Amino acid sequence: MRTETMAGRPRDRWTARVPLAALAAALLATGAQAQDARDPRIGLRAGWGDAGEAIRNMQLVSHTDRPAGFFNPGNMADFGLANTDMAFAGNRLFIGSYNGFQVYDISDPARPRLRGSLVCPGGQGDVSVHGNLLFVSVEETRGRLDCGVQGVQDTVSTERFRGVRIFDISNLDRPRQVAAVQTCRGSHTHTLVPDPRDASHVYVYVQGTGAVRSPRELPGCSGRPPSEDPNTSYFRIEVIHVPLARPQEARIVNMPRIFADSAGNVAGLWPGGRHGEGTQQTSQTNQCHDITVYPQIGLAAGACAGNGILLDIRDPANPVRIDEVVDPNFAYWHSATFNNQGTRVIYTDEWGGGSAPRCRATDRPEWGANAIFTLANRELRHEGYYKLPAAQTEQENCVAHNGSLVPVPGRDIMVQAWYQGGVSVFDFTDPDKPVEIAFFDRGPMSATQPVLGGFWSAYWYNGHIYASEIGRGLDVFHLTPSEHLSQNEIDAARLVRMDHFNPQTQTRLEWPASFVVARAYLDQLARNRALPGTRTARIERELRQAERLTGARRRAALTQLAAQLESDAQGARDAEKVRALASVVRDLAAGRR
């Protein structure tokens, strides 16, 4: 969520990798779904604890209210206590908050149990976890070094903290702050970046969007434009180095100018304003809101106010911009998600800053939506859009927000939060025609006036979807089979197990060799009619027969089937998927797990 104003001086010209003409043409084939008056999300009853609910192809497993200290009984809409983003480690779920953080034991997703919490105000409290360390973003000027709730009254104060806190959480009953790295604009969000070459340390990319603090409070800070001060605190990110054995030594080691042009102008990207008649009023690119890293492919995608950017992070201490795009339909580039293959990137537009109704029937489907790009030769190319297909009311803040991949093999599927638009699960395997496959929504907080609320984030983690609801608490879901998603595909997704998950730090999803993974691919081939129905039925019979066998007989049957599938691929409509199925069958024959 964005609440700060943008600063910096506009430039006279700019360069874009996506031509405006191409984007205008894309509007005519947006892929966004038409509103359906029969959608059960339309007309839901308003209420705080008794709002109407609509759900399709999902099941609500549990709901947990916010705990004491994280809501105001006199004003349940008090945003200073709102739930925000999440991170996961083992059976623990960490939920950030404007007032600190909460830790839940999710060993039983049907009964999440509050394991601990810490009141420590300072902003939206973006969280990441690594081993026994918890990282928390702090941006608001009320943040204090000592986590005090009294705030900071002075304009300049040695008691103020804005930056990234690091807690030792080896004892959840007594979290201990071991480092507090100050930054000039605070930390709206941050990204944990492991070094593939050295596991003894991590880096933290800091995305600050707040006003620049006084140099009398933190030496070196400058709020002047680059024309007046080349060392301005705008137009950069900070890189913190954290030695894991000595986190108290964490410090800033780089402040890269990732927006500079080839001439060295630090304000080298979009200057802000409109792209032309009928386009969005956009923000100047002097900051990133979110950076999502994918260390295994050496790339990061930055959602940076007026631009989407692509970074080379093979040297994680020194990220280098290698591509950038603009979109006249975007007001504020907010976050990014790679697909598992690293061949596509979804960028979100937080039109209205997250606090406005932007999913009304009168709102354009390309505004406040996702833009889907393909990635080839380390360049971004626009393909399509996806926006929540059910109209929301004037009382519901709604826009694209945080989500993650659902690990169904052979498909690109994402679950995403849309504030009071609810949770939406969609398939973007065909980036030009994304399709919603499941959803959950509640009615507005109030029937008569806007009340800020809804889902901040929704993430898949080890078989379930966890969704952080700003005002109401924590919801847990699981997917159910439908014409869009088979039970085999759901079961295959559940085979992917993670020991931790920080949403802005993507890792490659891998599936074990399993008969259920093979059947997931086979279901997709049948659904898409990539092979004749008689052939898919026969493959299913042969898989079933092989599964009943053991030893050499199973190996022989599976080896023969794999060879037949390779032959099938030569004339199939989706040869790549047939080969993927053959690969799984071959691994099963070899006894790989």
Side-chain angles (χ1 to χ4, degrees):
M1 176 165 288
R2 176 176 53 91
T3 56
E4 300 288 345
T5 58
M6 307 302 137
R9 195 173 75 176
R11 295 171 60 244
D12 295 327
R13 56 191 178 85
W14 56 280
T15 302
R17 294 295 183 104
V18 176
L20 291 179
L23 281 173
L27 297 184
L28 301 176
T30 174
Q33 296 160 279
Q35 303 289 348
D36 184 353
R38 297 168 298 176
D39 192 303
R41 289 169 284 189
I42 307 298
L44 286 172
R45 180 182 69 253
W48 192 276
D50 59 349
E53 296 180 351
I55 192 165
R56 179 175 291 168
N57 302 334
M58 302 172 68
Q59 180 178 335
L60 178 60
V61 175
S62 64
H63 170 78
T64 304
D65 291 335
R66 287 182 293 169
F70 292 86
F71 69 92
N72 178 354
N75 177 15
M76 294 294 284
D78 185 343
F79 202 66
L81 300 169
N83 272 354
T84 58
D85 213 354
M86 299 179 286
F88 303 80
N91 289 321
R92 295 175 296 174
L93 164 62
F94 299 83
I95 302 182
S97 164
Y98 278 79
N99 203 44
F101 63 85
Q102 309 148 47
V103 187
Y104 287 89
D105 183 329
I106 54 172
S107 302
D108 181 0
R111 295 177 180 82
R113 179 175 64 88
L114 184 67
R115 179 63 185 80
S117 64
L118 179 70
V119 171
C120 186
Q124 66 183 42
D126 201 32
V127 289
S128 295
V129 62
H130 187 95
N132 286 323
L133 298 179
L134 181 71
F135 301 79
V136 182
S137 286
V138 181
E139 186 173 62
E140 290 182 340
T141 56
R142 64 170 170 154
R144 295 179 55 90
L145 280 165
D146 61 5
C147 284
V149 299
Q150 69 270 36
V152 182
Q153 304 305 316
D154 294 335
T155 303
V156 174
S157 173
T158 57
E159 298 175 335
R160 178 174 286 113
F161 177 73
R162 298 174 67 201
V164 175
R165 301 186 193 273
I166 306 176
F167 291 93
D168 182 328
I169 54 171
S170 53
N171 181 356
L172 283 176
D173 295 321
R174 291 180 178 272
R176 182 169 58 92
Q177 182 172 290
V178 294
V181 182
Q182 300 269 20
T183 63
C184 288
R185 299 183 71 181
S187 174
H188 193 67
T189 67
H190 69 268
T191 306
L192 203 66
V193 191
D195 186 343
R197 301 165 301 182
D198 186 352
S200 69
H201 61 249
V202 297
Y203 294 94
V204 179
Y205 292 171
V206 183
Q207 290 85 237
T209 65
V212 177
R213 63 207 300 180
S214 168
R216 292 185 293 126
E217 184 171 279
L218 184 62
C221 295
S222 169
R224 289 184 291 170
S227 58
E228 298 177 12
D229 185 356
N231 296 315
T232 178
S233 299
Y234 294 106
F235 304 100
R236 74 185 192 197
I237 62 171
E238 288 88 10
V239 178
I240 298 173
H241 175 253
V242 185
L244 295 174
R246 303 177 307 281
Q248 67 276 9
E249 297 177 10
R251 63 186 181 90
I252 295 174
V253 294
N254 194 8
M255 293 180 284
R257 297 292 189 182
I258 59 173
F259 312 128
D261 60 21
S262 58
N265 174 21
V266 300
L269 296 184
W270 177 242
R274 294 187 181 275
H275 292 279
E277 185 177 352
T279 64
Q280 287 270 37
Q281 178 68 34
T282 62
S283 302
Q284 182 191 41
T285 303
N286 65 35
Q287 60 185 263
C288 286
H289 184 280
D290 251 318
I291 296 176
T292 296
V293 296
Y294 198 161
Q296 286 157 297
I297 63 173
L299 294 175
C304 303
N307 289 90
I309 68 173
L310 191 67
L311 298 170
D312 183 327
I313 59 164
R314 287 174 294 182
D315 178 358
N318 297 283
V320 177
R321 191 182 84 249
I322 55 177
D323 198 20
E324 66 278 343
V325 289
V326 295
D327 188 334
N329 292 298
F330 267 38
Y332 187 81
W333 296 68
H334 174 274
S335 54
T337 303
F338 289 92
N339 71 343
N340 193 47
Q341 292 79 15
T343 57
R344 296 193 183 105
V345 185
I346 287 183
Y347 289 97
T348 67
D349 172 26
E350 198 180 39
W351 175 34
S355 60
R358 292 293 184 259
C359 301
R360 300 162 296 186
T362 54
D363 291 324
R364 291 177 59 174
E366 306 84 17
W367 291 17
N370 299 320
I372 306 169
F373 289 79
T374 56
L375 177 57
N377 299 318
R378 309 210 316 170
E379 291 187 353
L380 296 160
R381 185 181 67 202
H382 182 264
E383 295 287 351
Y385 295 95
Y386 174 80
K387 188 171 184 179
L388 187 76
Q392 305 294 302
T393 67
E394 290 278 358
Q395 285 71 47
E396 293 172 287
N397 57 301
C398 177
V399 75
H401 213 232
N402 295 347
S404 73
L405 299 180
V406 177
V408 174
R411 298 175 69 180
D412 290 338
I413 296 177
M414 184 171 174
V415 58
Q416 186 175 20
W418 290 78
Y419 290 109
Q420 287 198 70
V423 173
S424 179
V425 181
F426 63 97
D427 183 318
F428 64 103
T429 308
D430 180 349
D432 188 47
K433 297 178 181 177
V435 177
E436 186 175 57
I437 61 178
F439 61 75
F440 174 80
D441 189 19
R442 290 190 177 97
M445 299 286 194
S446 168
T448 59
Q449 59 183 350
V451 176
L452 200 64
F455 290 101
W456 185 282
S457 52
Y459 303 128
W460 173 280
Y461 181 70
N462 291 347
H464 288 82
I465 291 169
Y466 295 85
S468 170
E469 220 277 5
I470 289 172
R472 295 180 174 112
L474 171 67
D475 289 293
V476 184
F477 305 90
H478 70 69
L479 293 172
T480 57
S482 67
E483 70 274 22
H484 302 294
L485 192 66
S486 71
Q487 187 64 58
N488 287 320
E489 290 173 298
I490 295 170
D491 291 343
R494 288 175 176 164
L495 292 176
V496 176
R497 309 300 292 182
M498 295 177 274
D499 57 10
H500 69 281
F501 177 54
N502 296 305
Q504 283 72 45
T505 309
Q506 287 190 232
T507 57
R508 184 172 285 114
L509 303 170
E510 296 181 341
W511 295 264
S514 165
F515 281 94
V516 75
V517 174
R519 291 192 175 97
Y521 280 120
L522 189 58
D523 288 346
Q524 293 164 23
L525 292 168
R527 183 186 299 117
N528 298 332
R529 297 182 175 88
L531 291 173
T534 54
R535 180 62 183 135
T536 55
R538 182 174 177 180
I539 295 169
E540 169 57 32
R541 287 196 302 271
E542 293 181 6
L543 279 173
R544 188 167 57 249
Q545 291 167 1
E547 192 171 14
R548 293 172 182 155
L549 301 174
T550 58
R553 295 178 64 196
R554 172 183 280 192
R555 286 195 298 274
L558 290 171
T559 299
Q560 182 179 9
L561 177 57
Q564 292 169 351
L565 288 166
E566 290 288 359
S567 178
D568 290 333
Q570 297 178 23
R573 288 177 52 196
D574 191 344
E576 182 179 352
K577 191 154 293 179
V578 178
R579 292 192 183 99
L581 172 56
S583 178
V584 174
V585 173
R586 194 178 302 110
D587 286 345
L588 284 169
R592 299 190 184 100
R593 289 291 185 267

